[in-house]
Amino acid sequence: MANHSPISSSQILTILTYLLCVSGELMPWPTAIPSHIQSLDIASRLHNDVDSMKRASNDYGNLVHEAPSAILYPSSIADIIDLVKFSNNCSTPFGVSVRGHGHSVRGQAMARGGVVVDMSSLPTRNVRVSRHPTLGFHYADVGGEQLWVDVLRATASEHGLAPVSWTDYLYLTVGGTLSNGGISGQAFLHGPQISNVVEMDVVTGKGDLITCSHHMNSELFFAVLGGLGQFGIIVRARIILDKAPTRAKWVRMIYSDFSKFTRDEEHLISINGANYVEGSLLTDKSPPNNWRSSSFYSSYHQSKIATLLKNNQGLLYSIELVKYYDHLTAHTIDQEIEMMVENLSFVDGFIFMKDVPMMDFLARVGNLEAEKEAQAHPWLNLFVPKSRLLDFHSGVLINIIGRHNQTTGPILFYPFHRKKWDDRMSAVTPDEDIFYTLGLLHTCGAHERGYFEAQNNEIIKFCEEAGIEIKQYLPHYKSRRDWMKHFGGKWESFEERKMEFDPRMILSRGQNIFDSVTYSDI
Ligand code: FAD
């Protein structure tokens, strides 16, 4: 943790004055409140120095900036419980948002006027690996604040085991991705990360520390997974592990035809064999080598693809396929890959292959921390029902993204099986057996964000008008009506669960779901 100076007593008074004024609780000033907060152990861990405030008021998106009154650097779970309970005991409670690694793009981990809990200050915990006594599978108990990259290092290097479902980027926290879903090219096979958790410890919005699982306090368990931080703070998660493969055959194939591209994607996620399948669009602004894996293609291959791109109206499609192997399967892996790709319809000669250590594949996106400050990331992530793929292709991929041709950054497009998602969880998907994700991962200068926001809005409007029932992943809405529409049939239980686990609506107000505050874009 950086060196932050603790808040003095007078600053604590100021913060509380602000919180209580905002909440209308302070009448008259001063009241018994100051001595109350000072009696709490957490007082010395609340900060409002410039660096802390700046960090907590921004995120990877650099689109929304909301200042809290203070940042809590917890030294234990008990500190978090104390803070949540304290807020609960105010007649009008203040918001508490936990910040995992701040890689949201729209202020979801912010707490205007409230307190941001910076999870990174929790003392480093060891990843504990165990074997289930009756079912026999291995699992890891990890802190909600831990980065997936650290989970991988600990499980793979010390135990030869690894989680089975990943995100493309590993510098995200366990609590942060489990609050959303956690998707990547393994999700077609194992489900998203939320489908690979068997137990959690959660601090609810009432300040209760509860252990939950499929069978124990299951309502809380399912609420929290994909629950956008609304029901509780994940302080421990038990993640399913499997034997960590040692190497990966990493294949990319280029397509000029959308129907062949999606047909082959769906074929690959339906046969036995692939461990990872993702797809993407290639344009001159979204080239084959990008930050998702900056050195896959040699410069010779890049120019070969660039020529094909030119001859194909500036739009190509790419499937990325991976098969893991180890010393036991090393002698058959090439043959297996050959069989998997032999009937696929990629452009003749446009198949590229790498053979890499497993760790290099999983950690293919480096740490993007340094890039964060200067640029904005007006991302749009959607789930698209398979039945409307052709309409989506012509209306969105060709007529909006292709016509603008300004999307700078990866454009992901790949399918999932809905059966791998558990409908009891809060996460929402289209109501079809197969759906796709579109990830428009724009990077732009702060002054250009309006342009990309307009494009994103045009896409959403087109889908609405065409009756394409998309769902946003990492959703962002400003009105209750839109949230209700997003959750559809799950809205009622989402609301009921909120009443049960966070009745005073303290947690994750940066998501702007329940509180009346409108989080303005700046
Ligand atoms: P934060 O941004 O800090 O928090 C996100 C939300 O979760 C907030 O509402 C916060 O209050 C809440 N939260 C955080 N920790 C907890 C906790 N312990 N308990 C309860 N609530 C909590 N997502 C994918 O699925 N797949 C990808 O491949 C992928 N790649 C990405 C690559 C990059 C470069 C970036 C910036 C994001 C990517 N994401 C991806 C999105 C990412 O999963 C989400 O933005 C995630 O929320 C970020 O995690 P974080 O730890 O930074 O969470």
Side-chain angles (χ1 to χ4, degrees):
M1 191 185 91
N3 191 16
H4 311 285
S5 46
I7 300 179
S8 63
S9 306
S10 68
Q11 285 174 309
I12 290 171
L13 291 185
T14 313
I15 291 166
L16 282 170
T17 307
Y18 177 79
L19 291 174
L20 298 172
C21 286
V22 164
S23 68
E25 183 163 341
L26 185 65
M27 293 185 303
W29 170 258
T31 64
I33 296 295
S35 54
H36 179 190
I37 190 78
Q38 282 179 45
S39 71
L40 291 186
D41 205 30
I42 55 171
S44 64
R45 292 186 276 286
L46 282 168
H47 298 249
N48 69 348
D49 57 284
V50 173
D51 285 349
S52 300
M53 293 291 279
K54 200 172 151 207
R55 196 170 121 83
S57 312
N58 202 2
D59 60 20
Y60 188 83
N62 201 12
L63 301 165
V64 174
H65 305 92
E66 297 289 359
S69 288
I71 295 89
L72 175 71
Y73 292 102
S75 63
S76 65
I77 310 298
D79 287 354
I80 300 173
I81 294 173
D82 283 353
L83 179 75
V84 175
K85 286 204 160 147
F86 179 79
S87 177
N88 254 289
N89 289 332
C90 292
S91 66
T92 308
F94 54 87
V96 173
S97 290
V98 289
R99 179 183 167 96
H101 203 45
H103 276 54
S104 291
V105 295
R106 298 200 180 262
Q108 285 95 334
M110 294 179 200
R112 175 156 69 169
V115 176
V116 168
V117 179
D118 189 328
M119 298 292 275
S120 67
S121 77
L122 284 170
T124 309
R125 291 193 258 178
N126 286 334
V127 170
R128 248 185 327 115
V129 171
S130 318
R131 186 158 185 265
H132 194 285
T134 49
L135 300 176
F137 65 86
H138 285 89
Y139 57 78
D141 283 302
V142 303
E145 76 288 357
Q146 287 186 291
L147 296 177
W148 283 102
V149 71
D150 295 328
V151 176
L152 174 62
R153 282 183 194 132
T155 54
S157 61
E158 289 164 33
H159 304 274
L161 298 166
V164 293
S165 188
W166 293 97
T167 47
D168 290 344
Y169 180 58
L170 304 188
Y171 293 82
L172 304 168
T173 63
V174 170
T177 69
L178 295 185
S179 299
N180 285 292
I183 54 169
S184 182
Q186 299 90 356
F188 79 89
L189 186 60
H190 299 287
Q193 290 182 319
I194 49 174
S195 298
N196 293 281
V197 183
V198 290
E199 190 179 285
M200 289 181 289
D201 287 340
V202 171
V203 177
T204 68
K206 295 175 183 169
D208 299 327
L209 177 61
I210 295 180
T211 300
C212 57
S213 70
H214 282 80
H215 309 294
M216 191 195 326
N217 300 307
S218 58
E219 196 66 24
L220 179 62
F221 180 75
F222 293 125
V224 164
L225 294 169
L228 308 176
Q230 293 305 303
F231 310 102
I233 300 168
I234 302 164
V235 293
R236 177 186 63 92
R238 181 167 285 181
I239 312 287
I240 294 172
L241 303 176
D242 203 352
K243 189 167 172 282
T246 47
R247 296 196 67 85
K249 286 278 180 192
W250 187 4
V251 184
R252 287 187 181 175
M253 295 158 285
I254 309 288
Y255 289 72
S256 56
D257 180 279
F258 180 72
S259 295
K260 290 178 181 167
F261 161 67
T262 50
R263 193 182 61 212
D264 283 357
E265 281 192 306
E266 287 177 34
H267 169 75
L268 288 168
I269 67 161
S270 304
I271 56 168
N272 231 344
N275 295 109
Y276 165 104
V277 177
E278 280 200 9
S280 55
L281 273 63
L282 303 178
T283 67
D284 51 356
K285 294 245 167 49
S286 183
N289 274 353
N290 56 49
W291 57 258
R292 284 184 63 255
S293 53
S294 53
S295 59
F296 185 90
Y297 292 107
S298 65
S299 47
Y300 171 70
H301 288 153
Q302 286 180 69
S303 65
K304 190 173 159 183
I305 295 168
T307 307
L308 184 68
L309 195 58
K310 243 186 228 141
N311 298 338
N312 212 61
Q313 283 87 46
L315 180 61
L316 292 171
Y317 312 92
S318 165
I319 294 182
E320 186 171 48
L321 160 73
V322 170
K323 179 137 185 79
Y324 305 149
Y325 72 100
D326 57 22
H327 67 284
L328 294 174
T329 46
H331 62 292
T332 53
I333 182 70
D334 287 335
Q335 202 185 345
E336 285 181 69
I337 293 280
E338 230 167 80
M339 279 166 61
M340 255 194 279
V341 303
E342 69 180 345
N343 292 321
L344 302 185
S345 307
F346 51 88
V347 179
D348 223 12
F350 281 80
I351 179 165
F352 308 89
M353 208 170 304
K354 280 190 132 183
D355 186 331
V356 293
M358 171 72 178
M359 291 292 267
D360 289 8
F361 170 68
L362 287 179
R364 62 198 176 279
V365 188
N367 190 347
L368 301 170
E369 202 73 19
E371 194 237 2
K372 256 167 59 170
E373 290 245 327
Q375 295 176 307
H377 299 99
W379 288 8
L380 179 68
N381 291 274
L382 300 177
F383 290 158
V384 183
K386 169 188 154 118
S387 66
R388 301 300 304 275
L389 268 195
L390 292 182
D391 299 326
F392 190 82
H393 178 245
S394 59
V396 174
L397 303 185
I398 301 285
N399 280 338
I400 301 180
I401 298 171
R403 175 168 48 83
H404 287 275
N405 192 22
Q406 292 298 327
T407 295
T408 49
I411 308 175
L412 306 178
F413 200 73
Y414 61 93
F416 304 112
H417 291 295
R418 186 163 186 261
K419 64 182 180 210
K420 300 286 180 180
W421 296 63
D422 189 328
D423 214 28
R424 293 169 294 180
M425 295 174 183
S426 295
V428 288
T429 68
D431 192 10
E432 287 191 14
D433 291 347
I434 290 183
F435 63 91
Y436 279 69
T437 183
L438 170 73
L440 284 178
L441 311 185
H442 300 122
T443 298
C444 65
H447 61 287
E448 297 166 303
R449 56 169 286 196
Y451 178 86
F452 290 103
E453 298 286 39
Q455 182 180 304
N456 292 344
N457 291 337
E458 192 182 344
I459 291 171
I460 291 169
K461 187 159 173 267
F462 167 81
C463 292
E464 265 170 19
E465 287 175 359
I468 303 176
E469 305 225 337
I470 50 164
K471 294 289 178 194
Q472 282 192 36
Y473 177 60
L474 314 172
H476 155 71
Y477 298 106
K478 288 188 175 164
S479 78
R480 191 178 180 82
R481 201 187 115 263
D482 284 342
W483 278 113
M484 289 170 73
K485 188 167 168 231
H486 172 77
F487 284 106
K490 285 191 178 180
W491 172 254
E492 208 176 309
S493 69
F494 197 82
E495 219 176 13
E496 279 168 15
R497 286 165 166 179
K498 185 72 173 176
M499 287 306 143
E500 186 176 349
F501 300 117
D502 183 22
R504 307 205 70 200
M505 309 204 175
I506 288 170
L507 299 177
S508 269
R509 290 187 182 170
Q511 298 275 5
N512 201 21
I513 302 177
F514 288 104
D515 57 313
S516 55
V517 181
T518 301
Y519 285 80
S520 57
D521 289 358
I522 293 173

